Amino acid sequence: MEQEDIDDFFTNSERYLRNVAVDNVIFGYHEKELTVLLQQPFSVDKWTVTGGYIKKTESLEEAANRIAFSRTGLKGLFFQQFHSFGSPQRVIDSGFTAEHLSEMSGIQVPSSSWIFDYFVSVGFYTLTEFSKVDVKKGPYEAGCQWWPVHDLPPMMFDHKLIIAEALKALRLHIAHFPIGYELLPEKFTLPEIHSLYETILGKRLDDRNFSKRLMATGIIIKLNETKKIGAHRSPFLYKFDKERYQEGLKSGVELAF
């Protein structure tokens, strides 16, 4: 949340939905590694996914977009709601107390505040090309940075579970929808998209079978351009057919491996 959003929340909390929040798992892909953008509150040796409260004037999707924009500086990202999380114990954490919030915000937060009640979180995962993100930390955060999904720091609340469920949903969706478009540069080689799918799915994929199935969908176009990656290696570049890509998101494609 931005400074003005935080000040508004603590002084005008009636403008926000009670007991419902949005948690946004922002995935990126960099150097053959799937990463997730995490934030660290001040004075806490733990991290969280990017999330926040929902204004009564906005939809869940609008809240998720606002939160993602505040961390990445990007609009028009791919969003997918994947799960909801609810447990009477999920908001209990030593780093989330009235004393700690009062110290960080400079506003007296009573221990009886509704923000310490049973909270349901609606989970979204967000995909973005790593190189386009201008990471921004919030005013009450010690840091905001990318972490490999297989090497996460200590997490607050149930956010380790949230990331695990987001990854499970991403693996299911990428096998049936062409969402690799969101994580790659505009132009890429077949080995690069092959590596992306292997990284996300967490398993080896046969080169020829993968390329054959991918090309059969018609969602990528071979360009009359090559990428020089060695003295004798200049593979052809490809890009997504945006129209076929949009159709694939709506109706699905046969990419299950």
Side-chain angles (χ1 to χ4, degrees):
M1 297 176 75
E2 295 296 319
Q3 179 72 58
E4 59 266 26
D5 288 333
I6 293 175
D7 293 341
D8 179 59
F9 174 76
F10 282 116
T11 56
N12 301 289
S13 62
E14 72 279 357
R15 298 179 183 176
Y16 292 79
L17 288 179
R18 296 194 174 195
N19 307 98
V20 184
V22 165
D23 277 312
N24 223 355
V25 183
I26 301 177
F27 286 119
Y29 179 68
H30 182 60
E31 296 183 348
K32 298 184 179 182
E33 192 163 51
L34 188 66
T35 59
V36 61
L37 190 62
L38 302 178
Q39 57 193 32
Q40 182 186 34
F42 273 127
S43 306
V44 178
D45 191 26
K46 295 180 182 179
W47 296 71
T48 71
V49 301
T50 58
Y53 300 107
I54 305 162
K55 297 177 182 179
K56 291 180 179 179
T57 55
E58 62 187 0
S59 66
L60 291 174
E61 289 75 16
E62 287 170 338
N65 272 272
R66 172 173 54 80
I67 292 164
F69 176 74
S70 72
R71 289 293 170 269
T72 66
L74 299 175
K75 293 184 178 180
L77 297 176
F78 176 92
F79 286 86
Q80 179 66 50
Q81 186 179 146
F82 67 93
H83 199 68
S84 58
F85 300 86
S87 165
Q89 307 301 316
R90 67 176 303 271
V91 297
I92 298 175
D93 192 282
S94 59
F96 187 63
T97 64
E99 293 78 14
H100 180 67
L101 291 181
S102 297
E103 180 183 348
M104 283 200 309
S105 66
I107 299 171
Q108 189 60 39
V109 180
S111 58
S112 59
S113 172
W114 58 269
I115 65 174
F116 302 112
D117 291 345
Y118 182 172
F119 247 88
V120 172
S121 175
V122 180
F124 287 81
Y125 71 74
T126 306
L127 305 177
T128 180
E129 186 188 337
F130 184 93
S131 63
K132 292 182 178 179
V133 176
D134 179 18
V135 176
K136 301 176 182 179
K137 70 181 184 70
Y140 298 128
E141 293 168 5
C144 184
Q145 68 182 68
W146 295 102
W147 288 82
V149 293
H150 68 273
D151 188 22
L152 297 173
M155 303 295 296
M156 287 184 71
F157 309 127
D158 56 354
H159 286 208
K160 185 176 181 179
L161 171 65
I162 290 176
I163 293 173
E165 290 296 324
L167 181 57
K168 185 188 301 183
L170 176 61
R171 284 174 171 169
L172 173 64
H173 294 156
I174 201 171
H176 298 280
F177 297 94
I179 55 181
Y181 170 77
E182 312 293 339
L183 295 167
L184 290 168
E186 181 182 1
K187 299 176 183 180
F188 51 86
T189 65
L190 285 180
E192 286 170 340
I193 192 171
H194 179 259
S195 177
L196 169 68
Y197 274 73
E198 283 193 333
T199 298
I200 291 176
L201 293 172
K203 64 180 182 181
R204 297 292 298 244
L205 301 173
D206 178 78
D207 288 358
R208 291 185 179 180
N209 186 46
F210 174 83
S211 298
K212 183 179 179 181
R213 289 193 179 189
L214 186 63
M215 295 302 297
T217 66
I219 61 174
I220 66 170
I221 303 170
K222 186 178 181 179
L223 303 175
N224 191 28
E225 300 177 46
T226 60
K227 180 177 182 179
K228 190 172 181 59
I229 57 176
H232 305 288
R233 295 182 64 197
S234 299
F236 277 99
L237 288 166
Y238 294 76
K239 71 176 183 179
F240 278 91
D241 181 317
K242 291 186 179 180
E243 185 174 336
R244 289 286 186 91
Y245 166 74
Q246 293 297 337
E247 292 174 359
L249 287 182
K250 294 177 182 178
S251 59
V253 292
E254 292 298 325
L255 274 175
F257 297 99

